[in-house]
Amino acid sequence: MPSSPAPIRLSDEVRKAVERGRPVVALESTIISHGLPRPRNLEVARELEATVRTAGAVPATIAVLDGVARVGLGKDELERVANDESMRKLGFRDLAPAVALGASGATTVSGTAFLAHSAGIAVFATGGLGGVHRDWVTLQDESADLGLLARVPITVVCAGVKSILDVPATLQRLETLNVGVVGYRTADFPGFYLRSSGLPVDWTLDTPDQVAQLMRARWQLNADLTALIVGNPVSEAEQLDPELHDRVLAKALRAAERKGITGQAVTPFLLGYLAEHTDGASLEANLAAVRGNVALAAQIARSHAALS
């Protein structure tokens, strides 16, 4: 087979950091391309990278551009992801077709986690994970995030799974898949927009050093065969009002059923409905969660690098 450019390309900054054992935090790009309105999306992308740098780590925003998976984006590349309306959303299964066809797209949780691990990055920060969808017994709709996290040993700092999903069923699936789940300074699994999903976690960690020690213990036991999910709740002051959340989500679910929305269209519809009918409050809660997760991930990456 003829040679071709490497399908995964690390920026010089990220490559040097990985080679030298410096702390690096992977960041997904779907929130930039599809999750926020322009031009705020680019402002947030820059803010999140700055948060990582301020904490003493190197940001590695990930996307696929012209058939090359980029781990760490330069200024022009970040702007392209933010402003190019033709950017696709790329999960793990979409990566190979995108590379083969020279396509461009922003990576979801599954795509980002795979590429980050492939590049030697141990910590990934995101907002909320995908999971088991409601009415799974009838539709058997489940996010590809779960299957990928069952095979990639990366630490994911998140605010739980998206609250529009079946959270209890998702936690059961994560247990079945042997994906590690811990709460950060909480005994409850976070509820994405909400501080708590109302469901407990088995283990609570209180410092970035404890998370790093857990990561090392998993490696020492050869038990790092799956991801480690660190549930970091949004603050009580920044969460979406729980009553408002429940009321609007119930209406959103009825609206989706009435319109016959199914499959991959369900999640963006529900998230969009929540943003519109909470006057943007759900989006602000999401951003507050992402900011907190990125800051914590950088601290964990620093502690992990110090132990390595």
Side-chain angles (χ1 to χ4, degrees):
M1 183 175 292
S3 61
S4 60
I8 302 179
R9 188 177 304 170
L10 280 62
S11 69
D12 288 342
E13 181 185 27
V14 172
R15 177 180 52 79
K16 291 176 182 177
V18 171
E19 290 175 349
R20 298 170 183 174
R22 293 187 56 207
V24 181
V25 175
L27 303 171
E28 68 165 283
S29 50
T30 299
I31 189 174
I32 306 170
S33 64
H34 293 81
L36 294 168
R38 298 178 178 87
R40 193 178 185 191
N41 59 342
L42 181 57
E43 295 170 358
V44 169
R46 290 169 173 163
E47 175 193 345
L48 298 180
E49 289 202 344
T51 296
V52 175
R53 294 187 193 283
T54 299
V58 173
T61 304
I62 296 176
V64 177
L65 299 176
D66 302 319
V68 178
R70 305 276 185 160
V71 180
L73 302 182
K75 175 179 177 294
D76 293 343
E77 293 163 341
L78 199 64
E79 291 178 356
R80 179 179 173 186
V81 172
N83 296 320
D84 186 347
E85 296 184 0
S86 68
M87 282 280 157
R88 300 184 61 149
K89 290 175 70 172
L90 304 177
F92 167 71
R93 72 171 187 168
D94 303 306
L95 297 177
V99 169
L101 300 176
S104 299
T107 51
T108 65
V109 167
S110 65
T112 305
F114 174 79
L115 291 173
H117 172 65
S118 299
I121 299 172
V123 183
F124 164 34
T126 186
L129 303 178
V132 177
H133 286 242
R134 294 167 187 255
D135 297 323
W136 183 90
V137 174
T138 303
L139 302 175
Q140 296 193 346
D141 190 357
E142 177 182 306
S143 170
D145 292 353
L146 301 186
L148 193 285
L149 294 176
R151 294 185 288 115
V152 175
I154 191 167
T155 295
V156 184
V157 182
C158 65
V161 300
K162 294 179 176 66
S163 56
I164 60 174
L165 303 174
D166 187 331
V167 181
T170 300
L171 285 172
Q172 290 174 3
R173 279 293 287 151
L174 290 170
E175 180 180 356
T176 299
L177 294 169
N178 284 313
V179 175
V181 177
V182 300
Y184 186 77
R185 296 180 180 174
T186 179
D188 294 337
F189 190 66
F192 189 47
Y193 297 129
L194 307 177
R195 182 163 179 81
S196 171
S197 66
L199 300 167
V201 292
D202 292 328
W203 297 94
T204 299
L205 304 180
D206 295 315
T207 67
D209 286 347
Q210 287 185 341
V211 179
Q213 289 161 3
L214 172 56
M215 293 167 66
R216 183 172 66 172
R218 280 163 49 92
W219 174 78
Q220 290 173 328
L221 291 167
N222 196 28
D224 57 342
L225 305 176
T226 64
L228 171 64
I229 295 173
V230 179
N232 181 40
V234 66
S235 71
E236 187 171 357
E238 294 176 305
Q239 72 172 343
L240 183 61
D241 177 71
E243 189 279 330
L244 176 63
H245 169 273
D246 293 348
R247 174 164 47 84
V248 175
L249 178 56
K251 291 181 179 179
L253 292 167
R254 290 195 295 269
E257 182 177 6
R258 187 170 61 251
K259 294 175 181 289
I261 296 172
T262 59
Q264 292 183 340
V266 172
T267 294
F269 174 81
L270 294 178
L271 294 178
Y273 191 102
L274 278 163
E276 178 182 355
H277 291 82
T278 61
D279 294 324
S282 66
L283 181 60
E284 295 307 317
N286 184 11
L287 283 176
V290 171
R291 291 185 179 104
N293 295 338
V294 169
L296 175 58
Q299 296 172 39
I300 292 171
R302 285 185 58 190
S303 293
H304 180 256
L307 286 178
S308 301

